[in-house]
Amino acid sequence: GALARATEAANAAYLGSPDEALMNSSFADPMEFLSRWLVDALPDGDDGLTRLVHGRLHVEHAIFHRTQPSVAAIVGWRDAALGHPGADLALLALPYATRDDQALPPRYRGHAGRDDLASIGVPTEQEFIDRYVERCGLFSVREHLDYYTAHACFRLAATLHRLDRFA
């Protein structure tokens, strides 16, 4: 299914051209573990959830309504493909799981631990996920959200590693 293919692609991106610095770093063991775990823990029923997905869905691709607290449009569809909507949701929700860490690209810096989100109009993580699931009708996504989040983190780490090698 779509998620299995995305997992294979992320593994290939990470493992495709390993370098000595990576293999000798503290980064290697967790990535190797997660790489194997993602294949072994792939949720059942993946094929039934294949949809057109954005592929790089994060807040920088959202155009917000001028007067209402809502998204008016999503841009940046260059990487759109058939895929798993749970992967898009997890990537978009990643800021709920991460802190405002300067080591991350700005689009992935999070707000975990902040207690002022409601005052600035940002829904809680659960409210955000509930809205997504209800609007899309994909109720089974909730059951495996931890998997999709691990998948999004692995893809992000693999991408950052690949970019770091060429920097």
Side-chain angles (χ1 to χ4, degrees), residues 111-119:
H111 39 259
R114 288 184 60 169
D115 58 5
D116 64 339
L117 295 181
S119 69

Side-chain angles (χ1 to χ4, degrees), residues 3-4 7-8 11 33-43 147 151:
L3 197 55
T7 300
E8 290 170 13
N11 275 327
F33 172 82
L34 189 52
S35 170
R36 287 189 304 275
W37 181 84
L38 286 170
V39 172
D40 294 342
L42 194 66
Y147 179 90
H151 183 268

Side-chain angles (χ1 to χ4, degrees), residues 4-5 11 13 32 44 59 64 70 84-85 103 105 110 113 118 126 147 152 154 163 167:
R5 287 189 302 277
N11 275 327
E32 294 295 325
D44 293 331
V59 73
F64 294 92
S70 64
H84 196 286
Q126 192 60 55
Y147 179 90
F154 183 82
L163 294 174

Side-chain angles (χ1 to χ4, degrees), residues 132-152:
Y132 178 95
V133 167
E134 289 165 13
R135 288 183 177 157
C136 295
L138 300 170
F139 299 99
S140 63
V141 168
R142 278 190 192 109
E143 183 180 348
H144 301 292
L145 190 58
D146 287 345
Y147 179 90
Y148 308 134
T149 301
H151 183 268

